[in-house]
């Protein structure tokens, strides 16, 4: 049995960004030598998330609009009494979820034809980290 | 250590359907010979999801109404400029999530008394796939 | 390879409560002897959830308000025809999700600086259970 770990760093130009990371996760899995198992992809900061969906710019914009509608920027969050201004980002992370587990089969990510892994940044313009942890045979 | 993989196929009559798959996952776990570990259940198409909740028809209809309220069918999604008409299905998958990890203890699914595993189809009437991947001792 | 399992019990005073369980999960991981792998933390009752976010009381209240806004208490749920009155709790569990997988590195939870694990109770005042299952080397 093998386990392997890697950290990806992000520092986005914009406050909200959606970055495809399928290739980085695939490369990590290949370098791990694991042929059958799981790779966990998990955002380590609580105002960012990870999701698997379509690599289509219109849909990515739809997702951003939808997150903003359901978990809007709003100065009235109680969390802002601490001096923070990112209450919406904490809620958006909950909505989109902060992690995915991708199956590894024959040494590759076992994704469906349209599945792509995305890093979702909701409070960027600073250094933030994602953990990749693979476990298997 | 052992790993095992199986694919389930679905082709629903209706556009949206909720199908209990606990028994299929349980059978797979028993055939894998794994007595302690995890089984990942993950929808491989980006307009379907997997969730664990109650096997009660009223609640299933409540869930469907609620998903439609928060992520409605709407011709105005940018994604539809590609010719697709399933923007809502992509968002519903995000809301309900597309995967669960079920613990395996003593060779069985270690679920609570009311926990049942469901496949949630949001854009059906075509062949779609779910991966089951078990890892453990 | 090792696997280990523990169950946590909760019986909250209030119907809705958010309880930090990071220390309990960390202690379990240390007692398991696993140095590299995963620990699954999963609510076994279908009206409770598990999430990872900030340990800040204002934000916890924001999360509660937000869940109530998107998945409100409402006597009109079809599920209530069974005699239940907790339709909202089932939906809140879906929204916040019912499980997280935490990576284990060097025998410790590999969490970001602000990540804390919470048990989210949506229909308390009775005994309910969470499973901890660790798998790794």
């Amino acid at each position: 049995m093998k386990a392997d770990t890697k950290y990806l760093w992000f520092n986005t130009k914009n406050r909200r960004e959606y970055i495809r990371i399928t290739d980085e996760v695939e490369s990590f899995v290949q370098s791990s030598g694991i042929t059958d198992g799981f790779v966990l992809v998990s955002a380590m900061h609580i105002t960012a998330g990870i999701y698997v969906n379509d690599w289509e710019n219109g849909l990515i914009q739809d997702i951003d609009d939808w997150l903003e509608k359901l978990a809007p920027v709003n100065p009235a969050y109680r969390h802002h009494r601490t001096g923070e201004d990112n209450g919406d980002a904490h809620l958006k992370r909950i909505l989109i979820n902060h992690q995915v587990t991708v199956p590894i089969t024959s040494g590759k990510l076992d994704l469906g034809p349209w599945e792509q892994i995305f890093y979702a940044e909701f409070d960027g313009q600073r250094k933030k980290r994602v953990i990749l942890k693979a476990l298997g045979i």
Side-chain angles (χ1 to χ4, degrees), chain A residues 4-135:
Chain A
D4 201 4
T5 308
K6 186 178 181 177
Y7 304 93
L8 303 179
W9 286 93
F10 298 89
N11 191 343
T12 61
K13 287 186 187 166
N14 304 304
R15 182 146 183 166
R16 298 215 300 270
E17 279 193 28
Y18 304 87
I19 300 169
R20 194 180 71 96
I21 58 171
T22 315
D23 298 341
E24 287 83 351
V25 181
E26 182 82 62
S27 297
F28 164 68
V29 165
Q30 288 180 17
S31 71
S32 77
I34 292 170
T35 55
D36 210 356
F38 298 133
V39 55
L40 176 73
V41 185
S42 192
M44 301 183 78
H45 289 78
I46 51 186
T47 50
I50 301 288
Y51 72 98
V52 169
N53 215 302
D54 203 358
W55 185 20
E56 195 278 298
N57 285 337
L59 182 73
I60 292 169
Q61 189 60 49
D62 289 331
I63 290 171
D64 186 71
D65 290 351
W66 178 70
L67 292 169
E68 177 57 25
K69 186 179 162 200
L70 293 187
V73 173
N74 181 347
Y77 291 119
R78 286 176 181 82
H79 184 49
H80 296 174
R81 297 178 190 167
T82 64
E84 294 283 355
D85 66 353
N86 59 6
D88 71 296
H90 288 275
L91 302 180
K92 287 178 172 93
R93 167 186 160 104
I94 291 175
L95 195 44
I96 210 155
N97 206 6
H98 74 284
Q99 60 180 198
V100 297
T101 300
V102 183
I104 304 167
T105 307
S106 305
K108 297 189 172 181
L109 299 178
D110 201 343
L111 292 169
W114 302 102
E115 285 191 309
Q116 297 282 346
I117 310 167
F118 285 88
Y119 173 71
E121 177 62 80
F122 301 123
D123 185 20
Q125 300 164 324
R126 60 178 104 175
K127 282 184 76 183
K128 292 169 88 170
R129 202 158 54 131
V130 167
I131 185 169
L132 310 182
K133 168 85 69 176
L135 185 72

